[in-house]
Amino acid sequence: MSELDENINQEEENISEETYSNGEELQKIMHVQSMFENWFIEYASYTILDRAVPEIRDGLKPVQRRILHSMWELEDGRYNKVANLIGNTMKYHPHGDASIGDALVQIGQKELLIDQQGNWGNIYTGDRAAAPRYIEARLSKFALDVVFNPKTTEWKPSYDGRNKEPVVLPIKFPLLLAQGSEGIAVVLASKILPHNFNELIDASVAILKNKPFEIFPDFLTGGMIDVSRYNDGIKGGRVRVRAKISIQDKKTLVINEIPFSTTTSGLIDSIIQANEKGKIKIRKIDDNTAANVEVLVHLSPGVSPDQTIDALYAFTDCEVSISPNASVIKDSKPNFMGVSDMLRESVANTTNLVKMELEIRLQELENQWHYSSLEKIFIENRIYRDIEECETWEAVIEAIEAGLEPFKHIFFREIVRDDIIRLTEIKIKRISKFDSFKADELIKGLEFEIEEVKNHLDNLIDYTINYYRQIQKKHGKGRERKTEIRSFENIEAQMVAVANQKLYVNREEGFIGTGMRKDDYVLDCSDIDDIIVFRADGNFLVTKVSDKKFVGKDIIHVDVFKRNDERTIYNMIYSDGPTGAAMVKRFAVLGVTRDKEYDLTKGKKGSKVLYFSANPNGESEIVRVLLRPKPKLKILKFDYDFANLAIKGRGSKGNILSKNPVKKIELLEKGSSTLSAIEVWFDEIVMRLNTEGRGKYLGKFIGDDRILALYSNGSYKTALFDLSNHYDTGLKQIEKLNEEKPISVLHKEKDSGKVFVKRFLPEINDKLNSVVPDDDNLQFIDMDLAHRPQIEYVFENKKGESASEIISVENFVDVMSAKAKGKRIPENLITKVKFIEPLEYIEEEELEVEQEDEDIPNTDGIDIDEEMEKKWKKEPEKTNILQNRDKKQNGNDDDDVIQMSLFED
């Protein structure tokens, strides 16, 4: 038997000898379970309290607090290598150098507490910082002013007991809200968004003054933010952040600012993916980002820049949604609270710290006054001579105490033994050179400062407000809001998606799809579009585009469905059953349930569509109706104009066109739109056009009407009306384009200061045009769209005195070319010029001739056939004339065919 077999047998014997009762086994299992429970709770508590979630009082996680304390410990005004800072921090932090280094770089990239030197990475591109041995850091002046104060700091032993570290840092500023914080612990996450430095100070002052306030996120990466659902940063809230995209020209878009939590590389990847999926059409992307973001998106030929901007927001990381979750550590427990409550806690903490600092300072001043007064009395009254005869230490103490007895009433506090001992330590040299006048000046200065500190304590709120204002004055410059607060309109993905698929149809078999290449091509669509399908039996449905789908046989019309489209009007004539009357209707399809069939007829079996057309702008049509011959039927052909039929809902059954069987219907003439012009408004909050009555009313638009937009940088643009139009920040004026209304412009020569005025008619194109001629010496001042603008200018007259004049632009200068320089204002030394309130302008009233509604019934159930018969009987002579004329025109001598038009008088 081998040694291995012997070992196995021995183990089996040992196992057979071990017997445990059921109670012992159960106890062992429970012990293991309790161990896991305790360990899990301890680990969860550790990750929450000591790693991932910030403390409400100083807004820092433990690793951040230890880094700042370590930097303060090494602070000497010069830069330290980050590797040295990491090494010094490790005596406080029980984890590795990597976590310390990453946390230190993140603090530095927020540009608030740390001055950096070297390559600290790029928050725009996502590039990492250089190795710790190559970069340096020191505390910023702001950090030295507000973060540290050993006198008000509570201390605790470090993890190994060798050093002391702060429990929390005495930060007198809402640092947590200024920097933001994000961390994931066991069963708990925290995500607090950063806010604007100056706005936080303003809100803190508002709290101290018991005034209302609001604070919203602000990001170093800029961009735009919709805070309508911020919900004070509490869990369940949401903000939408967008990149800032502008149109450089028809073929190029420029991204200058990116959303928070994204990088240019990630943004570009998302754009490329959207392009590969066919959501957008771009030619190439150039990333020129360095100190500032610049991403150039080059569009494919024929692609709309405005629609592409919306598509970028809909399909890429140019728009991201961020859900905050404001959780902090308060009283050694996790706590959920809104950012407003966090700011109130910070203000209360700052007020307490300021009070504590004042009380400490008051105590220091009083101690200094106390000792200075003791010293002055001790020397001036020569009390030191009373100890010359004393032989013991106690006798010395008693002699000094007796000498001070007459002066005890002037002191703030009792004179203790330590005070007397300190007097005995005064050197003879100091006594011999004692200056009574300087001592009095010192004591008076201390008394003044004591009164000042007491006044601050009595007016603690005002003192704290002044503290905030001093911080803002000293450190707030250059920390203006970077993220523009805007309200975003909801972009429907289907409206902006690029048509990246071809749709095919098999009308007889009833199939539609993008994969049926052997069948009839219908149109281009996107892969997220809905398709509306009309069939010959009078039914229609809306379905999602797919590779191949059965929608019912005998398809007569297929198109992309646009929800709530009130402009597309369908004209339809159908037979009510196999032998029923011919019905006519006009309708729009607004909202439907996907894949549900809707009947457009009265529902009688055998109903059939005789004529159908879709009109994208509500166009009317004139059709010729040919009837089947039958005994006593004299009128076999007549014309019908859809313009005389009211547009109703899809559920309307229609009017009776004819009770006689219809043989054929032909289109004679395509009419004009019967829809009214669209009323358009401009919403200055979201900077978009709308038809819902929000914002400034621009007017009624139809056809090729355009919009004129003026920008504060001296440019303008005329664009066709489209709800997808984008208007950049800096928009000065916007209105419906009046091609006969000039733009008035002020500009000056840079070298001479001479001011010119011109009026010109805007160029009609889709480009961004400049109002200033192409001359580097000309500088734009202002422009105006008023009919009768006025200019006020201030100048120095011959006496050197300041004078002003007002001129009417229409009387001063005629309308000229857009490239003209203009007419110079005669005075040379013009110091100020501006447009002022224009002269009154009375618009010419347009005479509107209101047409009386023709008395043509358009309610359901009217028999147009009977109306035609009545008219024929009343005017037989005219009918014969029409009949003969029609015969001559058509060369038709058949007496059985008679043509009559209801709409000829």
Side-chain angles (χ1 to χ4, degrees):
M1 183 180 295
S2 66
E3 183 177 355
L4 177 61
D5 293 334
E6 290 179 357
N7 291 336
I8 292 173
N9 291 336
Q10 184 63 40
E11 288 293 332
E12 289 177 350
E13 291 176 3
N14 292 338
I15 293 173
S16 64
E17 291 176 359
E18 294 177 357
T19 57
Y20 299 100
S21 64
N22 292 335
E24 289 176 339
E25 291 179 358
L26 181 61
Q27 186 177 2
K28 200 168 186 178
I29 293 172
M30 291 177 65
H31 174 67
V32 172
Q33 287 180 343
S34 66
M35 287 173 62
F36 276 106
E37 289 174 0
N38 294 335
W39 290 346
F40 178 78
I41 292 173
E42 288 178 3
Y43 177 70
S45 301
Y46 171 72
T47 57
I48 293 171
L49 299 177
D50 291 327
R51 289 186 67 175
V53 184
E55 231 286 347
I56 182 65
R57 288 175 288 177
D58 61 3
L60 299 170
K61 300 177 186 178
V63 65
Q64 296 171 331
R65 188 179 303 114
R66 289 161 181 157
I67 288 170
L68 293 175
H69 173 63
S70 175
M71 292 183 69
W72 178 75
E73 192 175 50
L74 298 175
E75 175 63 28
D76 59 0
R78 296 178 295 178
Y79 287 99
N80 288 287
K81 276 196 173 184
V82 168
N84 292 338
L85 295 175
I86 292 172
N88 193 62
T89 306
M90 288 187 69
K91 66 185 181 182
Y92 301 110
H93 194 62
H95 297 284
D97 59 336
S99 63
I100 299 173
D102 290 343
L104 200 155
V105 169
Q106 288 176 12
I107 297 172
Q109 288 179 341
K110 293 174 182 178
E111 300 180 357
L112 188 60
L113 298 176
I114 296 178
D115 287 341
Q116 311 149 40
Q117 188 164 276
N119 177 14
W120 280 66
N122 192 319
I123 60 172
Y124 302 127
T125 62
D127 294 340
R128 292 180 60 84
R133 61 185 179 274
Y134 298 125
I135 56 178
E136 297 177 326
R138 68 182 177 189
L139 290 171
S140 67
K141 293 181 179 179
F142 170 76
L144 293 172
D145 283 347
V146 305
V147 175
F148 306 100
N149 188 342
K151 297 175 183 178
T152 57
T153 303
E154 182 183 354
W155 302 91
K156 67 177 181 179
S158 61
Y159 74 97
D160 59 1
R162 290 190 176 96
N163 301 281
K164 287 193 306 180
E165 63 175 303
V167 177
V168 291
L169 288 172
I171 298 178
K172 303 182 293 296
F173 181 80
L175 184 65
L176 175 58
L177 295 175
Q179 291 196 133
S181 178
E182 186 172 357
I184 300 176
V186 177
V187 304
L188 181 69
S190 176
K191 188 165 190 175
I192 301 165
L193 302 182
H195 296 70
N196 181 261
F197 184 96
N198 291 304
E199 291 175 8
L200 286 173
I201 290 180
D202 292 338
S204 299
V205 171
I207 291 172
L208 291 170
K209 292 182 176 180
N210 291 319
K211 292 183 178 180
F213 69 94
E214 280 186 315
I215 53 173
F216 298 114
D218 184 30
F219 310 117
L220 290 175
T221 52
M224 301 178 292
I225 184 171
D226 185 341
V227 296
S228 56
R229 295 181 57 190
Y230 184 44
N231 195 28
D232 205 36
I234 300 173
K235 185 178 181 180
R238 182 172 70 98
V239 295
R240 295 161 61 195
V241 189
R242 285 182 177 177
K244 275 194 176 180
I245 309 174
S246 58
I247 301 174
Q248 181 170 299
D249 52 52
K250 283 185 177 181
K251 299 179 180 179
T252 312
L253 301 178
V254 183
I255 302 175
N256 297 115
E257 297 177 10
I258 61 175
F260 176 69
S261 75
T262 65
T263 61
T264 54
S265 56
L267 193 71
I268 291 171
D269 288 343
S270 70
I271 294 174
I272 293 172
Q273 290 175 9
N275 183 63
E276 290 174 348
K277 293 178 180 178
K279 307 294 186 185
I280 57 176
K281 284 186 178 180
I282 62 171
R283 189 163 51 87
K284 67 173 183 175
I285 302 177
D286 293 328
D287 186 3
N288 301 329
T289 302
N292 298 304
V293 173
E294 185 181 349
V295 177
L296 302 179
V297 181
H298 301 275
L299 307 181
S300 299
V303 175
S304 164
D306 287 308
Q307 185 175 346
T308 304
I309 290 175
D310 284 341
L312 288 172
Y313 289 143
F315 301 116
T316 73
D317 286 346
C318 288
E319 178 179 325
V320 295
S321 179
I322 303 173
S323 299
N325 182 18
S327 61
V328 294
I329 301 300
K330 181 182 178 183
D331 299 329
S332 301
K333 293 182 293 185
N335 194 297
F336 293 91
M337 62 174 67
V339 294
S340 298
D341 290 334
M342 288 185 189
L343 187 59
R344 291 187 182 94
E345 290 279 347
S346 172
V347 171
N349 183 58
T350 298
T351 305
N352 290 333
L353 289 171
V354 168
K355 181 182 179 182
M356 193 183 304
E357 288 179 355
L358 288 173
E359 289 173 343
I360 292 171
R361 180 57 180 160
L362 179 60
Q363 186 178 1
E364 290 174 346
L365 290 170
E366 288 179 344
N367 287 336
Q368 191 176 352
W369 180 91
H370 182 81
Y371 182 71
S372 297
S373 299
L374 278 174
E375 185 182 74
K376 181 175 179 293
I377 293 170
F378 181 73
I379 297 174
E380 283 185 347
N381 291 276
R382 300 177 183 273
I383 297 175
Y384 55 85
R385 288 187 174 182
D386 296 343
I387 64 174
E388 292 177 356
E389 303 298 329
C390 297
E391 297 181 356
T392 63
W393 177 250
E394 288 299 326
V396 171
I397 299 298
E398 289 174 3
I400 296 175
E401 188 174 359
L404 295 174
E405 187 65 32
F407 307 98
K408 285 187 176 181
H409 65 279
I410 68 172
F411 291 95
F412 293 127
R413 63 174 174 83
E414 182 183 356
I415 300 172
V416 297
R417 185 181 178 91
D418 288 342
D419 296 330
I420 296 173
I421 293 173
R422 187 173 179 182
L423 290 174
T424 63
E425 295 172 352
I426 298 176
K427 295 182 179 180
I428 298 297
K429 185 178 181 181
R430 178 171 176 77
I431 294 175
S432 63
K433 291 186 177 182
F434 180 76
D435 189 333
S436 181
F437 177 76
K438 287 185 178 180
D440 288 339
E441 288 296 317
L442 174 61
I443 291 172
K444 285 180 182 180
L446 291 172
E447 289 173 348
F448 176 80
E449 197 170 348
I450 287 170
E451 289 303 317
E452 188 179 36
V453 173
K454 286 182 177 179
N455 181 62
H456 292 333
L457 284 168
D458 293 337
N459 300 278
L460 185 61
I461 299 300
D462 291 337
Y463 180 78
T464 308
I465 290 173
N466 183 63
Y467 165 79
Y468 277 121
R469 290 304 184 200
Q470 291 301 318
I471 291 295
Q472 187 175 29
K473 182 179 179 180
K474 188 175 180 180
H475 304 288
K477 188 177 180 180
R479 300 187 186 276
E480 293 76 18
R481 170 168 281 278
K482 294 189 176 182
T483 305
E484 181 183 356
I485 297 176
R486 291 268 294 270
S487 293
F488 298 160
E489 75 289 351
N490 289 320
I491 298 175
E492 293 188 22
Q494 293 176 334
M495 301 297 291
V496 299
V498 172
N500 58 346
Q501 300 285 345
K502 295 186 180 298
L503 186 68
Y504 302 89
V505 61
N506 186 325
R507 301 181 187 277
E508 294 181 359
E509 299 297 328
F511 288 95
I512 63 169
T514 57
M516 303 161 50
R517 299 183 182 275
K518 295 182 179 180
D519 293 298
D520 297 336
Y521 165 76
V522 183
L523 48 80
D524 290 339
C525 64
S526 75
D527 53 9
I528 61 172
D529 277 336
D530 287 320
I531 304 299
I532 188 167
V533 180
F534 294 88
R535 301 199 304 261
D537 60 2
N539 289 297
F540 83 93
L541 61 85
V542 174
T543 188
K544 199 77 174 175
V545 68
S546 60
D547 189 59
K548 184 176 182 179
K549 188 169 187 177
F550 179 74
V551 293
K553 294 184 178 181
D554 298 326
I555 297 171
I556 58 174
H557 179 74
V558 178
D559 204 349
V560 174
F561 176 66
K562 300 176 181 178
R563 188 177 297 275
N564 298 322
D565 180 12
E566 297 179 348
R567 306 293 295 181
T568 300
I569 304 300
Y570 301 96
N571 299 336
M572 173 176 163
I573 300 173
Y574 70 93
S575 63
D576 185 23
T579 59
M583 309 295 293
V584 59
K585 65 188 288 186
R586 299 184 78 198
F587 61 95
V589 179
L590 303 179
V592 295
T593 301
R594 189 180 288 145
D595 293 323
K596 177 182 177 181
E597 290 198 1
Y598 295 88
D599 195 347
L600 296 170
T601 70
K602 286 186 174 182
K604 188 178 294 185
K605 189 175 181 180
S607 297
K608 184 178 180 181
V609 176
L610 303 175
Y611 179 83
F612 184 89
S613 68
N615 307 280
N617 202 31
E619 293 84 357
S620 64
E621 299 168 304
I622 298 176
V623 295
R624 175 160 294 173
V625 182
L626 304 177
L627 304 178
R628 294 185 182 278
K630 70 176 185 178
K632 297 183 180 182
L633 181 61
K634 298 179 180 180
I635 303 173
L636 297 179
K637 178 168 53 175
F638 64 90
D639 298 345
Y640 179 71
D641 190 349
F642 277 95
N644 297 293
L645 185 63
I647 299 170
K648 296 190 176 182
R650 54 179 167 78
S652 170
K653 303 307 176 186
N655 296 355
I656 298 175
L657 179 66
S658 175
K659 291 183 178 179
N660 298 302
V662 176
K663 178 182 179 183
K664 187 179 181 183
I665 299 176
E666 299 173 344
L667 175 65
L668 284 185
E669 181 182 335
K670 193 76 174 178
S672 60
S673 174
T674 58
L675 300 178
S676 60
I678 302 175
E679 291 188 310
V680 179
W681 287 261
F682 178 72
D683 190 337
E684 296 178 349
I685 297 176
V686 301
M687 303 289 284
R688 297 296 288 269
L689 304 174
N690 68 89
T691 57
E692 289 82 32
R694 302 190 309 271
K696 176 185 176 182
Y697 179 69
L698 299 183
K700 295 181 178 180
F701 288 76
I702 193 167
D704 294 332
D705 287 343
R706 286 179 172 262
I707 288 176
L708 173 62
L710 304 185
Y711 291 91
S712 55
N713 63 355
S715 60
Y716 74 93
K717 185 177 182 180
T718 61
L720 289 170
F721 154 71
D722 193 331
L723 291 179
S724 67
N725 286 354
H726 278 260
Y727 297 95
D728 298 329
T729 303
L731 182 69
K732 181 178 174 63
Q733 287 177 275
I734 185 170
E735 63 178 41
K736 182 179 178 181
L737 175 65
N738 181 350
E739 296 184 17
E740 298 179 355
K741 181 180 177 183
I743 301 173
S744 302
V745 179
L746 283 169
H747 54 245
K748 68 176 182 180
E749 291 181 344
K750 295 178 183 178
D751 53 1
S752 67
K754 295 177 181 179
V755 178
F756 294 82
V757 185
K758 75 172 182 180
R759 301 169 71 212
F760 69 95
L761 296 176
E763 298 182 30
I764 311 302
N765 54 44
D766 293 324
K767 299 188 299 181
L768 192 65
N769 305 284
S770 175
V771 300
V772 180
D774 189 13
D775 186 345
D776 294 337
N777 191 37
L778 290 179
Q779 180 180 342
F780 169 76
I781 299 175
D782 201 0
M783 59 180 162
D784 195 72
L785 270 176
H787 284 276
R788 304 181 66 194
Q790 293 190 106
I791 292 172
E792 180 182 21
Y793 62 92
V794 180
F795 62 97
E796 288 186 12
N797 57 23
K798 295 180 180 179
K799 297 180 180 180
E801 299 172 344
S802 180
S804 65
E805 290 285 345
I806 295 176
I807 59 175
S808 170
V809 177
E810 63 177 341
N811 296 329
F812 181 75
V813 62
D814 293 328
V815 176
M816 53 184 64
S817 166
K819 297 180 180 180
K821 191 173 184 178
K823 184 176 180 180
R824 184 172 73 86
I825 298 177
E827 280 73 12
N828 290 325
L829 301 176
I830 296 177
T831 58
K832 187 177 181 181
V833 60
K834 64 178 180 178
F835 285 101
I836 59 173
E837 189 72 22
L839 296 171
E840 183 180 4
Y841 174 76
I842 302 175
E843 294 191 24
E844 298 180 3
E845 296 184 1
E846 295 183 3
L847 296 176
E848 295 185 1
V849 180
E850 295 186 2
Q851 295 182 348
E852 295 183 0
D853 295 336
E854 297 182 18
D855 189 16
I856 298 177
N858 54 22
T859 56
D860 291 352
I862 293 295
D863 190 342
I864 297 175
D865 214 12
E866 290 181 4
E867 296 293 320
M868 184 174 61
E869 187 74 24
K870 291 176 184 177
K871 187 169 183 177
W872 179 78
K873 287 181 179 180
K874 287 180 182 179
E875 303 176 0
E877 295 180 0
K878 186 173 182 179
T879 304
N880 292 332
I881 294 172
L882 293 172
Q883 172 187 350
N884 295 332
R885 184 193 69 182
D886 202 48
K887 286 180 180 179
K888 290 177 182 179
Q889 289 176 350
N890 298 324
N892 188 354
D893 295 329
D894 189 355
D895 292 337
D896 294 333
V897 179
I898 300 175
Q899 178 184 13
M900 177 179 179
S901 175
L902 276 171
F903 312 111
E904 292 188 54
D905 294 327

